Amino acid sequence: MSSLFPVIAKKMFFSLLCLSVVLCRIYTADGNSMREAKIFPPSPEIERGSTLKLFCTLGKHLIPRGNASHIIWKLNHDLIPQEYYTIINESTSGVTIHNFTYESAHVRCFTKMLHLGDEQLQIHINVKSGFSPEKPKNISCIYYYDINITCSWISGRETHLNTTYTLVRKHYDDGIQQWINRDSCQSNNGSCAFFFPDIPYARYCFQVTAKNALSNSTTECVPMEMLEIEKLEAPDIISVEKIAGIKQLLNITWKNPMVAPERRLCCLIQYRKMHSNDSGNVTDCTNRTETIKSYNLMGLQDFTEYAIAIQCKGALAKFWSEWSEERIGRTEEKAPSRKVDLWRVIESSQSSGNRYVHLMWKLLEEFPSSESIHGYKIWYIPENNASPAGPTHNTTDKKFTLLLPGEAYVLSVIAYNSAGESPEATLRIPTIGEITSTHIDSVWTFTLRKKMIVTWEASSVNEYVIEWYKEWDTEPFNRSWQYVSNTTNWTSQEGAFESFICYNISVYPLFENKIGAPYSVQAYFQEKPPTVGPETKADNPGKNEAIIKWNEIDKIHKNGFIRNYTIFYKSEGGKELNKTVNRNVLQYKLSSLEANTQYTAYVNAANSAGGKNGNTVTFKTSKFNKEDLLYIFISLGLCMLFLLLLGIICTLKKQTLKRVCWPDVPNPAESIVVGSEDVFMCNSLLKQGQSEDGTVGSENISVLEPGMPHENQTELLLIKHENYESDHTDTCAKDVPNDHKKELCNKEHEVVKSFSPSLPYIVTEQDFRSQMLSAVKPNRKIYPVEKLEEDFSKPQFSPVQNSSSKDNENEDGECTDIKEAATFNPYLKNSVNTREFIVPENLPDRNKNESRTQSTAPFQKNTAGQSYVTLDMFGLTIAH
């Protein structure tokens, strides 16, 4: 228990300390008389920009917990530095604030205890700054009769402080010859009033004093006469009437304001035409002998409405009363004295032989406004009096439409009221198709000082009608016109023409009672760039050209005369180009464009004030134009035609083309080898029919077509042989006996007949001779293939053979000069140089054996696996 006591005591001590601090804050924050701190001065108001000094004194109960050194100052929420503090004594601290420019600011006094660690507000005040009041100026007073005296003045600059103004009224005492204060009134603004009934007619002076916390200022006493500052009530108008039989006069009756009976009153009467700014004033001054006053207002216009108002004042007073309420009166009516200004617009009708005549009229500028108009009468009569007069029409409007036949008429219009009618205005309507001369050579327009000026040249005419209307306005009654005479130029009134609108202006000549043909022009009073640009589109883009089309801008959006159009165009990434055309062109063909390229284009419409771009269009040129496509189609057509003709020719000449372009290649499998020892002996005879390169010339080859008659084939071969014999001398003929020659000739026929007529043959001269010689030599030998190959593999045959063999000697003795070298054919090199037997694997065994045995058999077909020889090597006949 003894160990817990110090802890409990310490906690109780801190609790009591905290409670005392809270109570202290409540006590010091209270602004009542129980406050422990004081500040001086309590509510200061100082001159703007001056130095402020304040003092804060702590109460006796605060001294034990702190002193003046613990005081801190704040201006609004900002801490004032301690160098501006002054310690007066143990409980008082002062602060100095230089150049105080705040209109209103809070200064607070705090104490800061080190052991508590926070600030405690002791007291605060609101400090205001401002200026001293200036002396009031221009004191003026008005005496509202039997109500009050109100005075006003100019206070001067704003003081920003609470300032009071005291108005003092003094009257002059003739006995002591000085001003004596009578009464006063106060206010916080620039006016003050003394109320009735203490307002006797006397001589007064008025003085104003301005005062605030800084200083005060008083004016001099300004003397005023009550009769001069008097202001009466507004009079009350009783009636405004016209007097029967008397024109241009109105009788006005009113009630005078209340004033002393001996007073002289002056009243001002104002009269103003209704719906007009024209006004006039008249003053009537009389002694105030009666309450009701009457006055005759003369010199007015006939049958014209007037607004009447009256104000009054005393004869010596400077101030007029307020205006009375206006009353309306109308003068006596008068018949119209001048004719109307008449014009017409003729419009053709859908019914044949008729036309619409739109009549319109207006009162002339010099027409008296007092002449009231109740209505108008319109009628028409034929010019030649051949037809009866038309009916009379009445209207209150200033326009009327008639449907008239095609002949000439004279129209009449009059204005009327209750007093009478105006003079008659007439106008001639020509017949349909009537041709009249214009008498006007040219017309010009220009603007000057916000007016339109029209000038023209004419001959033999002194009167004209100028007509103008908006170009897009088709309403006939919206047209304006004006008659002019003895001049060739006309100036409009200001505001007669609107800016940025196109007007049709026509000048009509007037001669006798007819209206001549007009001369018309278009004009703008003022121009500006078009509101919208032309609507553009690209049409028919080709390979190197494209057509750009655009619509004409609406009349209401042109804002001026279109001078030209400019087409701007460019390719992707290219330079922008342009072409300019006149205003009558609405399409343009762009040329020299790149093929297969995308372009953008737009059109600018320009007038004298500027231009406006239209919408942008995009188009792409094509790869080919029509000519290119035509050439391509023609070329394709020609190619197809050529191929068609070639196909027909190939079909008709199939066999011929096959023999020329694709000759038959000998098939060793279907060849028959016919050989004898005489063949090699007669090679020299065949050499003469060969070319230098060892081949047989085409002239020595005969082709026998299949199906040719046997006799024809024989005849052909004999003819070829005879021709050959006639051209060439056989070197062996001299060694052949005559009987052998005969036998040889007989053998020729046999050889020819040995060919089958059902198959085509290629017979060379070598074959023919070989067959011939074979026929002469009865003792033929069939050489095996190995022998032929061995002989062929030799480089060449020697012209002189060795005589080691008897058989060779006999043969060489008979024909030693016909032996020749065998030419190697590359086509058959594999077949000749090798003895390879090619036997298909799928061939039956029987066929394989036959192929081996047939390799040396004479006059048999070549078979698979057998070496072979052909015609071009040995001059053998090959049958297909």
Side-chain angles (χ1 to χ4, degrees), residues 327-362:
R327 295 291 297 269
I328 307 301
R330 176 179 293 179
T331 57
E332 184 72 13
E333 193 170 21
K334 177 184 177 182
S337 59
R338 301 183 183 182
K339 62 183 181 180
V340 299
D341 188 359
L342 182 62
W343 186 238
R344 89 291 181 274
V345 174
I346 301 175
E347 184 180 7
S348 61
S349 173
Q350 295 181 354
S351 58
S352 60
N354 295 331
R355 63 271 174 85
Y356 288 105
V357 179
H358 304 283
L359 293 176
M360 59 196 85
W361 55 89
K362 59 185 177 181

Side-chain angles (χ1 to χ4, degrees), residues 537-542 545-549 587-590:
K537 64 178 180 179
D539 193 13
N540 296 329
E545 69 279 337
I547 298 176
I548 305 298
K549 296 182 179 180
Q587 68 177 25
Y588 186 80
K589 183 178 182 180
L590 299 177

Side-chain angles (χ1 to χ4, degrees), residues 122-139:
Q122 301 301 324
I123 194 170
H124 71 89
I125 62 170
N126 185 22
V127 181
K128 296 180 179 180
S129 68
F131 303 98
S132 300
E134 293 181 345
K135 183 184 294 186
K137 301 176 183 178
N138 298 337
I139 301 174

